[in-house]
Amino acid sequence: VPTITKEQLRDKAEQLVFKDKMSYAEAICHICEKQMIDPIDMAKLVTGPLKLKLEAEAKSRNIIKTNTATLF
């Protein structure tokens, strides 16, 4: 069970992104290592704005595909 809250994760990730110039993915992995939390458990805490920023970053780096389908 993670010993960090969603809010703490968001705050720590934002701090690493803006102060240490890490990507969101790097920041989350860094927090996992420092807190000794399994990334699978940490994934449960990645929600809301943090999840959106992580997804946008992954799309801009072509890590995940953007949705090109159109609705009729």
Side-chain angles (χ1 to χ4, degrees), residues 47-62:
T47 60
L50 181 59
K51 182 176 180 179
L52 294 175
K53 291 175 184 177
L54 184 61
E55 286 176 351
E57 175 184 272
K59 287 177 183 177
S60 73
R61 294 175 180 220
N62 294 320

Side-chain angles (χ1 to χ4, degrees), residues 9-10 13 16-18 27 42 45 57 59 62 68 70-71:
L9 173 60
R10 183 191 64 233
L16 291 169
V17 168
F18 291 108
M42 185 67 84
L45 299 177
E57 175 184 272
K59 287 177 183 177
N62 294 320
T68 58
T70 57
L71 297 176

Side-chain angles (χ1 to χ4, degrees), residues 8-66:
Q8 290 170 327
L9 173 60
R10 183 191 64 233
D11 292 345
K12 288 182 182 194
E14 294 283 352
Q15 181 178 9
L16 291 169
V17 168
F18 291 108
K19 290 186 179 177
D20 296 347
K21 307 299 182 202
M22 289 185 181
S23 68
Y24 282 96
E26 291 169 331
I28 292 168
C29 289
H30 178 79
I31 295 165
C32 285
E33 289 176 11
K34 291 291 184 187
Q35 298 283 329
M36 296 176 59
I37 299 172
D38 188 308
I40 293 172
D41 292 331
M42 185 67 84
K44 298 170 189 169
L45 299 177
V46 179
T47 60
L50 181 59
K51 182 176 180 179
L52 294 175
K53 291 175 184 177
L54 184 61
E55 286 176 351
E57 175 184 272
K59 287 177 183 177
S60 73
R61 294 175 180 220
N62 294 320
I63 296 169
I64 60 174
K65 292 183 179 183
T66 57

